[in-house]
Structure formats: structure tokens, C-alpha cells
Amino acid sequence: MQVNFLSYVQLTSLALPSLTDSKGSLVVVSSLLGHVPTSFSSPYSAAKFALDGFFGSLRRELDVQDVNVAITMCILGLRDRASTAEEVRGVARAKAAPGPKAALAVIRGGATRAPGVFYPRRLHLLGLLRGWLPHPKAWFIRQELNVTAAATA
């Protein structure tokens, strides 16, 4: 929670006066796991869901006060870092996305003051599916996981 949520809140609180004066932008890098709950990631997901709630509320507060500070929420899937690959090896069946392309999507979203960025783009569909199917059946979830490996991890 300290790194994944509280550091964002503290830095935003300190930077907000300057951002307000300069009509600046905040770019928040989050994860699909903060948008769609999944198995075996409860603490991480909780921190990322907290980011979504905090910055979603802050965006509304700034809008109500007519403050011109953009908030771009970037929802990223697995990236092809060695540490990520090691953490999910044998557990998740999802393929990792190239890190440089994810970084470019984040930069582009922040530069255009987009309210949200999903990378890869198909993640947006998963977010929509959560609204339509908030409690997926276990068999559906198992399609993305090697449950035996996850239980021993």
C-alpha cells in the first residue's frame, strides 16, 4: 500500500497547487488488477483499486471546482519485465506486452490529456466485461490461471 497507493496520494497533495497554477497534468500508472479483480493478487489489487477510487474522486472534485488539471489513468496489463515474468511463470496464461510500447502509450495519453489509457487496448474490453459480469464463474477464471501452480506459489 505504501508504494502502490500512499506515495501517489502524498506526491499529488504536494504537487496539486503547482499543477493548478500551471493547468498541468497527472499521469497515474495503474494495473488491470486495479480495475478487474483476479485471483492470488489481493494486496496488490487492493492498492490499485484504491488508486482508481482516489483519482476518480479527485477528478470529480477538480471538475466541480472548475480546476483545469488533467488526470490520465493508465491501466496496464502484464509487461515483459523479468521480475513480472518470474512472478507469474506457470500461474498466469496471459502474454506480457512489450514495455517500450506500454511506455509510449502512457506518454501519449499524458500528452493528450486523455482521461484513460488501456494498454494493450483489449484491456478496455475486460473492464467493460466486469460491469456486465461482476461475478464471473470459477471455470471462466481458471481459463487464465494454472490453479495448481498458483496454490503452491
Side-chain angles (χ1 to χ4, degrees), residues 11-12 14-26 67-70:
L11 290 170
T12 299
L14 293 171
L16 202 51
S18 294
L19 290 169
T20 301
D21 291 343
S22 66
K23 298 180 172 105
S25 299
L26 286 166
V67 174
N68 187 6
V69 172

Side-chain angles (χ1 to χ4, degrees), residues 114-125:
V117 170
F118 287 85
Y119 188 85
R121 291 180 145 254
R122 69 180 180 273
L123 296 183
H124 186 65
L125 178 60

Side-chain angles (χ1 to χ4, degrees), residues 61-124:
E61 290 173 15
L62 296 173
D63 285 346
V64 167
Q65 298 171 23
D66 202 26
V67 174
N68 187 6
V69 172
I71 298 176
T72 300
M73 192 67 148
C74 301
I75 309 298
L76 306 179
L78 287 176
R79 283 163 286 153
D80 64 354
R81 300 177 311 181
S83 61
T84 301
E86 189 59 36
E87 290 170 13
V88 299
R89 181 180 318 241
V91 176
R93 292 186 175 128
K95 292 183 180 175
K101 289 185 179 181
L104 184 58
V106 169
I107 292 167
R108 188 177 296 126
T112 61
R113 298 171 68 95
V117 170
F118 287 85
Y119 188 85
R121 291 180 145 254
R122 69 180 180 273
L123 296 183
H124 186 65

Side-chain angles (χ1 to χ4, degrees), residues 3 24 34 38 46 49 58 80 89 95 100 104 112 125 139 142 148:
V3 173
T38 189
F49 266 92
L58 180 60
D80 64 354
R89 181 180 318 241
K95 292 183 180 175
L104 184 58
T112 61
L125 178 60
W139 66 265
R142 281 192 208 102
T148 308

